[in-house]
Amino acid sequence: MVSGWSKKQRGFHQCRWGYHNLSVVEDVVENYKKAEIPLDVIWNDDDHMDGHKDFTLNSKNYPHPKLINFLNKIHSRGMKYIVIIDPGIGVNSSYGTYQRGLANDVFIKYEGKPYLAQVWPGPVNFPDFLNPKTVTWWVDEIRRFHELVPVDGLWIDMNEASNFCSGLCSIPKGKQCPSGTGPGWICCLECKNITKTRWDEPPYKINASGTQVPIGYKTIATSAVHYNGVREYDAHSIYGFSQAIATHKGLQGLQGKRPFILTRSTFVGSGHYAAHWTGDNKGTWDDLKYSISTMLNFGIFGIPMVGSDICGFYPAPTEELCNRWIELGAFYPFSRDHANYYSPRQELYQWKSVAKSAKNALGMRYKLLPYLYTLTYEAHTTGAPIARPVFFSFPNIAKLYELSTQFLLGSSLMVSPVLDKHQTKISVTFPPGTWYNLFDLSRAVVAKETESFSMDAPLHVINVHLYQNTILPMQRGGLISKEAKTTPFTLIVTFPAGATEGEAKGKLYIDNDELPEMQLGNGQSTYVEFSAKAENGLVKVWSNVEEGKFAIEKGLVIEKVTVLGLTGVRGGVAVEVEGGAGGDVSTVELVETDHMFFDEMKVGKGSKKSKMVEVKGLKIPVGKKFMMTWKMAIV
């Protein structure tokens, strides 16, 4: 469930809408542990609240002493706890957040009065995050709540802003609103349409909701007024963005740590402050497919930490669909299982088959955390997406432009999921070159040109392939990222199959996960560039290190280097490490394995042999430069 604590996050996230009481949450945590499925974060929708009101706690279902004991327990494991907050502040004379908001004049106005809407608490007013006083008030409310419940991040929802009513509304006299008997999303305010201004009835229709309705339908009236006279008409699209900035400021001010925020509404620049999930997607095969193009689009939009609700928000998914979705979702940048309150339970351990798929796919995700985190750093410093269309690495291949059933993580790791029911084989498109099966590195596909092959994909298998000329840093993995990130490293070095000459590159960024910024120069981070070259019968693998102190202090070491595509090894391995420590090769073991090629394809001229060479038993400090060499066996 989540880890890494970055503006763009890593790890796996789990959540369900509707954990009515803390006992259920405790059971979920223990069941994930028992099923040996990775879990980093527990999320709570508004069940923890008193009457759906932000910054409150339900004393019956979430008794404070018991909740604090639970948080102490999961925090000691390295897990995190995140709760939801909505922008609508309940109109309630006994509600401190509302009363302080009124006193500070923080709400959006209509004709001089706070604009009235309805969301989960019933009648609400919306904070005006363009107003500096509102930001100050919001930051203070976050501080007050954090003193009550030490959450590790905030999930900001309904911030388009969503409104169950439309127009100019008032609280009805003589009846309860909401009644408490029907669905909470039925408007119970007394409302009338606002049509007197060109802001509410512009000379065009945008059809935003899929039906021909006024522009202010089920949101804030577009003639409502923000700070300094700005109309909602002009500010509507940045409402969620402005809330994310205010929330980021509030969380960062608590302990000076890197905030984690998940937002539903986004705008240009939101990716700097928050992660994004793609809203209430359905548990259907079509929505499984759409999740890929949606993820890729948001990465291009500058919001790299993105993903869809695994297995679907509603209705209940089939067991087969949930298997395939966790196989794909384990490779979303933001990976979270999340379901509607009215849906049956769909935690990943609910089905034995899904638990098996989850252990397999999430197990690989947790081994890939250093790679994903390095991509996070790259996204933060350059804007490059974490998940990318395949054509990003092959821009001159026009037939890849419309490929939306596969994607890349970074430049070299290609994910090819099953997206239709009852499929055990899928067509996978391979750009030219050698692609190695990440789950079995002895297996490879060689494409002479851009080709599609029918690949086996039984129920618990997802096809993930690593491209040639790459150095991929991995760790041993684990059930919690706090543990996984302390384990020894393996470097996967890929050359073209059967190569006697070639080059490969890779990068690694690590830090303490809680710095306000992902950056070098603070003594709390390390950056490594890995290189490899095969030429003149010699193989070299080496590193250049910036700010190595952090990795050295953490005791991080490289225990294995696996080189793919070589013709073999002749002689022993020599290792030189900066400062001398870690260069002992007396315990090093070399293991050669012949590659198996898809469809018995021949490799290069004359069917040269290609091998996987594993160099085991190393103890090379990640924070020190090293050089490893050995001679190739030319056959």
Side-chain angles (χ1 to χ4, degrees), residues 205-218:
K205 304 293 183 184
I206 62 172
N207 197 24
S209 65
T211 54
Q212 293 293 341
V213 292
I215 192 172
Y217 178 72
K218 293 203 171 180

Side-chain angles (χ1 to χ4, degrees), residues 391 394 396-403 429-430 449-452:
F391 73 78
F394 305 91
N396 296 324
I397 304 176
K399 66 171 65 176
L400 296 177
Y401 293 174
E402 60 184 18
L403 182 62
T429 299
F430 290 93
E449 56 188 22
T450 301
E451 301 177 74
S452 295

Side-chain angles (χ1 to χ4, degrees), residues 350-405:
Q350 295 289 346
W351 303 271
K352 287 184 178 180
S353 68
V354 176
K356 183 176 179 179
S357 293
K359 288 173 67 174
N360 186 45
L362 291 172
M364 181 57 73
R365 178 187 182 88
Y366 274 58
K367 293 177 183 178
L368 290 170
L369 285 181
Y371 179 67
L372 294 173
Y373 199 61
T374 302
L375 292 176
T376 302
Y377 174 69
E378 186 175 346
H380 180 58
T381 55
T382 72
I386 296 172
R388 308 172 187 178
V390 178
F391 73 78
F392 263 44
S393 290
F394 305 91
N396 296 324
I397 304 176
K399 66 171 65 176
L400 296 177
Y401 293 174
E402 60 184 18
L403 182 62
S404 61
T405 55

Side-chain angles (χ1 to χ4, degrees), residues 388-453:
R388 308 172 187 178
V390 178
F391 73 78
F392 263 44
S393 290
F394 305 91
N396 296 324
I397 304 176
K399 66 171 65 176
L400 296 177
Y401 293 174
E402 60 184 18
L403 182 62
S404 61
T405 55
Q406 300 166 222
F407 62 94
L408 294 171
L409 290 174
S411 61
S412 305
L413 199 62
M414 187 168 71
V415 181
S416 307
V418 172
L419 300 173
D420 293 291
K421 60 183 177 181
H422 307 325
Q423 280 196 327
T424 56
K425 285 183 177 290
I426 59 168
S427 177
V428 178
T429 299
F430 290 93
T434 305
W435 296 86
Y436 296 94
N437 186 322
L438 189 65
F439 287 90
D440 182 355
L441 294 169
S442 69
R443 304 181 70 88
V445 174
V446 178
K448 295 180 180 179
E449 56 188 22
T450 301
E451 301 177 74
S452 295
F453 301 108

Side-chain angles (χ1 to χ4, degrees), residues 572-577 580-590 615-620 627-630:
V573 172
V575 179
E576 297 179 13
V577 178
D584 182 10
V585 295
S586 61
T587 60
V588 170
E589 178 186 5
L590 273 73
V615 185
K616 301 180 178 181
L618 299 168
K619 295 180 181 178
I620 302 173
M627 169 75 78
M628 177 187 297
T629 59
W630 68 85

